[in-house]
Amino acid sequence: MKSKQLIATITAVLVIAVTLSVVYPTEASAQEVTPFPSREKTISVTGTAATQVEPDLLHLSFGVETQEKTAKEALEANSSLMNTVVSAIKSAGISEDEISTSSLNIYPVYESYQEKLTGHYKQELVGYKVSNILNVDTNKLGLAADIIDSAVSSGVNRVDSVYFTLSPAKHLQVKDDLLAKAVLNAKSKAEKALSPLEHHIIGVKFVSLSEFGIPAPMPMYAAFDMAEGMAMKSAPTPVFSSDQDVSTTATVVFIIGSN
């Protein structure tokens, strides 16, 4: 009988102990474990690289504007002139795959007038204007003056821009070269800064590359009338290319350690 009472007492104690351990967790388990602070040491450095590059692409944008009483007449007149222009620049050495249409617009032209009786201003349709703009992209940089002169002499009455730039292939080549130099420049700066501190680079944590910096093309704007265009036959248009400054940066976070 006593043994049964002893077993019952022990069982009750165990049940109470288990219940308390569930309801009231121990102090050690209740405490939030604070993560061990990181001892990783880093240095952030921005490297730069720049160079001058000779352009290998010539871009020209020019066109023909015509105005007639009807849209059909304006388009026909424009098309006739533009066909002459295309033939002329092809004769100057430009191939058809170097020519593309930038825009073709047809829009009405109105003139404003004031009614004598009411004094109100009204608009009257006086015709239609057609504007056809061509782009020429070529690696024949020396033909810039010939292209402009031929185009204007054959009917072009607006020249929007002429500039020299980098072709996509050369752009990529220069970009890859400069990015590598910028990263090496960042590493060199970090090593020079760490040397007197008796630290050295042991790894790389982060790298951020900037966009390739190339100055916007400097277009030469011009407007011509037909009389000026004919006069240009005896005086070639002077057009010169120049080297372009290009640059890039790379920010590198190095992991460092003591010597």
Side-chain angles (χ1 to χ4, degrees), residues 64-68 73-75 77-78 81 128-131 157:
V64 174
E65 289 186 343
T66 53
Q67 181 175 330
E68 300 292 343
E73 291 173 344
L75 181 59
N78 192 286
L81 280 174
Y128 290 85
K129 181 176 286 189
V130 175
S131 174
N157 51 16

Side-chain angles (χ1 to χ4, degrees), residues 49-55 166 170 174 178 181 242-247:
T51 188
Q52 286 191 324
V53 184
E54 183 178 355
L166 303 183
K170 191 165 187 177
V174 175
L178 285 185
K181 290 181 178 179
S242 61
D243 291 349
Q244 298 189 5
D245 295 320
V246 292
S247 62

Side-chain angles (χ1 to χ4, degrees), residues 56-83:
D56 65 338
L57 184 66
L58 166 65
H59 173 86
L60 305 97
S61 180
F62 50 76
V64 174
E65 289 186 343
T66 53
Q67 181 175 330
E68 300 292 343
K69 289 185 177 181
T70 67
K72 182 176 182 294
E73 291 173 344
L75 181 59
E76 288 176 348
N78 192 286
S79 299
S80 177
L81 280 174
M82 187 55 77
N83 287 333

